[in-house]
Amino acid sequence: MSSCFTLLFHLVCCILISLVTASKPLSILLLEPTPSFSHHVWAMNLIKGLLRKGHHVHVVSVGETKIKDKLAQNLTYAVFDVMKIYEESEDYNPSEWEQYSAFYMGYFIYQLGIDACDTIIETKAAKELLEMIKTVEFDVIVQDITLFQCLYGLWEDAKGKPPIVGYIPFGPVPWLKDFIGGPSYPTVRPYMHVAIAKPVGLWQRTWNTLYYIMDDLIRHYYFLPTVQRLAEKYVGHTIRPLHEIEKDSINIVLLNSHPAFESGIPLPPNTFEIAGLNAQTIKPIDGEIVVTYSEDVRVFLDEAENGAIVISLGTNVKWKSIGLDKIETVLLALSKLKQRILWKLDIEMPFEIPDNIMTVKWIPQKEVLSHKNVRAVWTHGGLLSTQEAIWKGIPMIVMPFFMDQKSNAQILVTKGVGIYLDIKTLSAQTILHAVEEILYNESYTRNMKQLSSKFRDRSISPLDLAVWSIEYAVRHPNGTLVTPLKFQSKKALSILLLEPIPSTSHHVWTENLIKGLLRKGHHVHVISIHETKIEGKLGQNLTYAVFDDVMKTYEESEDYNPSEWEQYSVFYMGYFTYQWGINACEAMTKTKAAKELLEMIKSVEFDVIVQDITLTQCFYGLWEVAKGKPPIVGYVPFGPAPWLKDFIGGPSYPTVRPYTHAAIAKPVGLWQTTWNVFYYIMDDLIRQYYFLPIIQRLAEKYIGHTIRPLHEIEKYSINIVLINSHPAFDTGIPLPPNTLEIAGLNAQPIKPIIDEVVVTYPEDVRVFLDRAKNGALVISLGTNIKWKSIGLDKIKTIILALSKLKQRILWKLDIDVPFEIPDNLMIVKWIMQKEILSHKNVRAVWTHGGLLSTQEAIWKGIPMIVMPFFMDQKSNAQILVTKGVGIYLDIKTLSTHTVLHAVEEIFYNESYTKNMKQLSSEFRDRQIPPLDLAIWSIEYTVRHPNGTLVTPLKFQSWIQQNLIDVYAFLFFNIIILLIIFFAIKILIYFYCNHIYTVSKFHKSKQA
């Protein structure tokens, strides 16, 4: 029964995925110019994935793209005839490169790229490609951008200027920053040629930083200028600088990495980690020929009663270059084992082969590692072989040679899933020790199974993600992206969800998340500022409590007047927001619900705590005393809050993201950027030295004892952060793997489960909108802005203006007005805004610019009139105006004229609707909906509570993150060297002067 359900779920997922893929077959040019068969083999998996989707793919690679029968119907290919030249060259000896230093290896790789470029552009395939790309228009170019920048000129000459998707099978290369922006993160990611798992301590971090600096200098001042000349020689004319082309032209970067193996780093929205694309199991289409291992190999492995070991050094390292003496040593050691050994050996041997060993010229490694009797694999530590072993959960013996292999080996050893075997000290004893340790010490298998689970646990397979991203680049050649994820939990979770922010909009947003969790069958206990009213079958697994009367107290307070806050300065608004948080904490912690929550959390064990962490840090203490210490998922409906960096690590990016309370779309120019940076600094100082110390006292008073500093708790305890942002609206910034953007969670349409009670707008509203032949305008200022605080005079002005329109207006108005209501106007106390905006006759919405209302309008493609008041509303309004999807209406200058101008402009200028439809398309185009992403992340946290996705940057001080200690150390050493230099110079001077004086004295004496 369970297998049937799994199959059904898989089919449903495939159908859902197909719905967001390209509606027509694409014409794709795929270029794989890297002279390495491992890159070609990796690319073959991507090519097959594109062909399975029905796309037409023309491939130019270093090897033949041998795909047969039905799958190959839409495939054409050509070959860069270079691999034979490389493999027969005396200089091509990867086993010798093992001896090269990290500095020389950095230079050597670039030189290898230059030589390869020089060779490839002279091939017949390259010349034919150049002619073809000028005349044949492709929908997209997909290219390995690891090291072959000499082919960038093709992008400049390509007919129709198709979008570019670059991929890097090599993993996180040191020059990745040149493709995606941002730093290289040398404090957490080892330089690829260095045999360390992670730079630890000042000494290693200093050297690692120097390696990255050296690599950057070589690339920009040696490699790129040389390759620029080759690229221009190839295309026959001058082209833009290569560093400009790669910065401006690449739409999407597919990166062969994953934070379960490599240290997670912040990545921009257009960069997708697709590690495992080469390892995942793919269901073939009808008529596809599936290649597997031979029958004799199957029989050999089937009869391995004591288990089997696979030996494979990938495609680049050849045993013939290692030498017969080493091979004889390996044979001698292996002959003493009772296990069977399947050995991929590229040469004939003059030795007798023991009965327990089978040698083959080639093996389909992924398929062989799936055999039930394979217990370990002995490999070179290449990234692709490593990923295949991790995916299959097979522990490893690693004998690295060059490039990233040594670093990969150290990572595997550090994770307890592999043993390092040094080629320089290889002997029968070291081999036997490694094999026996990997086979009989069960911790290696156990650790690898755990690592495999984390590595494979994705919302969607890496191949599907890669294919989707290529299709997305065609649909939105100028668009922006999010990281798509999806997964179905296997068991019902017990979830505690806390919504302590005294804002009805946060509660409404959270209800969408609660309903999503309930639809998945999870048990959810909610404590919020309002009742969580969910009826029918959906509410069966829901219990809730309410922070009693908090909202009523706030709304009845004389100080609670958001419409007056519009006049506050940016600086004061920053302080005011934190003071509001302090007041909220003080009120919340005294409620009956808070006291009962404290007692409950000590005795009832939840699987996960999901909490709004926007501003009420006084509830962090609950995490400290919670029974069983469940993992924490924090969410921020407020969007990219200025203090986001304290949750996720890294900087605030004040040069690209406007400060929350500043009325700008994006800081432009030195003046705005300076002020924006100043705002962020001010905000950080208030939070760290005013807000958090006060909240610390309130938190400890609430818990009843001392707790860790709150800044430490939020740094170390939060496993995943869900932020309500998306780069189609907010400026995209690099985010670590544990930070997921789920903007639109409140806006997306949801298919209800059976017997779920669906609430919608009343019949009179439906009739009113149905009869709006000239279109309808919706007016709604969200949940925080009250019209009674705006005043009757403003309301009268608006009614006068609206009465002159032929459109109908649905107005959410919270007070009774003593004026006559025109026939084209309908007033309601509350509206289901998301549902109302879906009505076919709604042509525009007049709102306050709150983030949630803005996202609902964007999702539905409805242009906006924005009348902002406080916090992020002014910034949101400016963004909407900049994107040409909204009109700014200033409350201070509100008049009949300004209202009529805004409404008529938004209705009759079609550019607003056109631009909003485009923005909506970019905003909604996800591999999976934001609600599913949020649910997956919560379920993932329970499955992997140790924070696999968290970046190490989060635990580093700003001094370490910005390499200040490294630069200080280097500066200190330079000063010492200069002192020594000048001291020696002075000593030499005095010595020479002394010699001269003595010599002169002797001469004068002799005279």
Side-chain angles (χ1 to χ4, degrees), residues 36 47 55 67 87 223 242 280 283 346 353 415 426 428 482 497 510 703 719 780 785 827 956 975 1004-1005:
S36 167
I47 294 164
H55 300 309
I67 300 173
E87 291 180 350
F223 174 73
L242 297 179
Q280 70 179 81
K283 184 180 179 181
D346 53 278
I353 307 297
K415 291 182 179 294
L426 193 71
V482 295
L497 191 145
T510 304
I703 296 298
N719 296 59
S780 173
I785 307 294
I827 292 176
Q956 293 183 339
I975 295 297
S1004 62
K1005 193 174 181 182

Side-chain angles (χ1 to χ4, degrees), residues 698-851:
L698 292 175
E700 292 176 348
K701 179 182 177 182
Y702 171 50
I703 296 298
H705 57 77
T706 304
I707 58 173
R708 286 184 298 160
L710 296 179
H711 67 86
E712 282 190 16
I713 295 176
E714 68 185 4
K715 181 193 292 187
Y716 292 105
S717 299
I718 302 173
N719 296 59
I720 284 180
V721 179
L722 305 176
I723 57 172
N724 191 23
S725 63
H726 185 279
F729 180 71
D730 314 276
T731 305
I733 60 172
L735 295 171
N738 75 321
T739 304
L740 307 176
E741 294 187 292
I742 54 169
L745 176 148
N746 56 304
Q748 71 178 75
I750 301 295
K751 184 178 179 181
I753 64 171
I754 298 172
D755 295 331
E756 178 180 343
V757 176
V758 179
V759 181
T760 187
Y761 47 89
E763 180 64 14
D764 59 337
V765 172
R766 184 192 65 77
V767 171
F768 180 78
L769 293 175
D770 283 349
R771 294 175 179 173
K773 296 179 181 180
N774 296 304
L777 169 69
V778 176
I779 303 178
S780 173
L781 300 188
T783 58
N784 291 315
I785 307 294
K786 306 299 181 184
W787 282 97
K788 65 180 180 181
S789 64
I790 295 175
L792 287 176
D793 55 336
K794 297 285 188 185
I795 294 173
K796 184 177 182 180
T797 299
I798 294 170
I799 290 177
L800 177 62
L802 298 178
S803 66
K804 298 179 181 181
L805 298 172
K806 60 182 179 179
Q807 288 80 17
R808 290 196 165 194
I809 295 90
L810 180 66
W811 188 351
K812 184 174 80 70
L813 192 60
D814 54 278
I815 59 171
D816 294 317
V817 291
F819 314 118
E820 183 180 352
I821 305 300
D823 293 338
N824 68 332
L825 181 61
M826 181 178 187
I827 292 176
V828 291
K829 297 288 186 184
W830 178 259
I831 60 171
M832 306 289 293
Q833 185 165 298
K834 179 173 69 174
E835 289 74 17
I836 291 286
L837 294 182
S838 299
H839 195 283
K840 63 180 180 178
N841 288 339
V842 172
R843 298 268 303 281
V845 57
W846 175 350
T847 182
H848 61 311
L851 186 60

Side-chain angles (χ1 to χ4, degrees), residues 17-18 20-30 46-59 67 70-76 138-140 142 285 463-464 466-475:
I17 290 166
S18 67
V20 295
T21 57
S23 58
K24 67 179 183 69
L26 302 178
S27 175
I28 300 171
L29 173 62
L30 191 143
L46 179 57
I47 294 164
K48 289 178 180 177
L50 292 167
L51 292 171
R52 288 188 193 99
K53 291 284 188 175
H55 300 309
H56 301 268
V57 187
H58 180 70
V59 180
I67 300 173
K70 185 177 180 181
L71 193 60
Q73 288 177 357
N74 292 333
L75 171 70
T76 56
F138 292 95
D139 291 311
V140 62
V142 183
I285 64 171
L463 179 57
D464 285 339
V467 172
W468 173 82
S469 68
I470 292 168
E471 294 169 340
Y472 182 99
V474 177
R475 290 194 299 272

Side-chain angles (χ1 to χ4, degrees), residues 197 259-263 390 409-418 443-444 447-448 451 454 948:
F261 183 68
E262 292 94 1
S263 295
I390 293 173
Q410 292 293 350
I411 293 172
L412 292 165
V413 170
T414 301
K415 291 182 179 294
V417 298
S443 67
Y444 290 98
N447 293 340
M448 182 58 99
L451 177 59
K454 294 177 181 178
T948 304

